[in-house]
């Protein structure tokens, strides 16, 4: 519950924190630097519900899962592209007076180029059930590690 409350309250710390604040920023209702004036109201909007919930949330801690999570190929670089997109958006708006949507679309373009690179450089592997496909004389599908859901 604290995470939901903090996320919603923290959305106004920055115009990139939430969709509604991004719209306010794009319509030039507030400039980027004016969002920092909302720090105190955001803290109040988080701390009051957090203090109230503190008394009703159970104190038990769930067990940690011991399985190792493997990141997919390119995941760290995609995270870096996210940070670069934020930097392009903010600096493009503040320094060049470009609309924030231009920076976000630039980041989307970078992500699309990277997706193209990942797709073209993937190493295809044979399916674990290739023997079954060969038995029935069917084309053996290749495993594509870059497929999305």
């Amino acid at each position: 519950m604290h995470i939901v409350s903090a996320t919603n309250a923290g959305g106004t710390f920055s115009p990139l924190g939430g969709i509604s604040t991004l719209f306010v920023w794009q319509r030039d209702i507030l400039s980027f630097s004016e969002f920092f004036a909302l720090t105190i109201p955001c803290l109040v909007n988080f701390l009051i519900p957090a203090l109230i919930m503190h008394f009703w949330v159970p104190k038990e801690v769930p067990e940690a899962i011991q399985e190792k999570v493997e990141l997919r190929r390119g995941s760290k670089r995609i995270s870096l592209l996210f940070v670069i997109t934020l930097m392009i958006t903010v600096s493009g708006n503040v320094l060049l007076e470009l609309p924030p949507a231009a920076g976000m679309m630039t980041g989307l373009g970078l992500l699309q180029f990277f997706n193209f690179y990942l797709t073209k450089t993937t190493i295809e592997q044979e399916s674990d059930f290739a023997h079954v496909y060969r038995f029935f004389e069917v084309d053996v599908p290749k495993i594509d590690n870059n497929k999305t859901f």
Side-chain angles (χ1 to χ4, degrees):
M1 290 295 272
H2 291 302
I3 294 171
V4 172
S5 178
T7 302
N8 288 327
T12 51
F13 277 120
S14 160
L16 302 171
I19 192 69
S20 58
T21 51
L22 183 60
F23 287 149
V24 168
W25 187 31
Q26 286 184 352
R27 297 287 295 168
D28 287 331
I29 296 171
L30 293 174
S31 70
F32 179 76
S33 59
E34 290 175 310
F35 277 90
F36 294 108
L38 300 173
T39 302
I40 301 295
C42 286
L43 285 172
V44 169
N45 284 334
F46 167 68
L47 290 175
I48 290 175
L51 286 171
I52 293 170
M53 287 186 286
H54 171 74
F55 297 105
W56 283 277
V57 174
K59 303 237 187 283
E60 59 225 26
V61 178
E63 283 187 42
I65 298 174
Q66 299 299 326
E67 74 181 57
K68 183 179 180 187
V69 176
E70 288 189 36
L71 297 176
R72 296 178 83 176
R73 181 174 161 252
S75 59
K76 291 179 184 177
R77 288 175 281 181
I78 289 174
S79 298
L80 178 64
L81 282 173
F82 171 71
V83 172
I84 290 171
T85 299
L86 295 181
M87 291 178 356
I88 290 171
T89 304
V90 172
S91 61
N93 180 258
V94 173
L95 302 174
L96 303 174
E97 297 183 8
L98 293 172
M104 299 302 271
M105 294 305 289
T106 302
L108 179 61
L110 292 172
L111 183 63
Q112 291 295 329
F113 277 122
F114 186 63
N115 180 48
F116 179 77
Y117 165 76
L118 287 177
T119 302
K120 290 298 181 183
T121 60
T122 187
I123 299 170
E124 293 184 356
Q125 300 172 354
E126 194 170 71
S127 170
D128 291 336
F129 300 101
H131 61 283
V132 176
Y133 287 95
R134 281 193 206 95
F135 179 77
F136 289 106
E137 299 177 359
V138 178
D139 290 338
V140 179
K142 301 291 185 192
I143 297 174
D144 184 1
N145 292 330
N146 292 328
K147 281 188 180 176
T148 57
F149 300 99

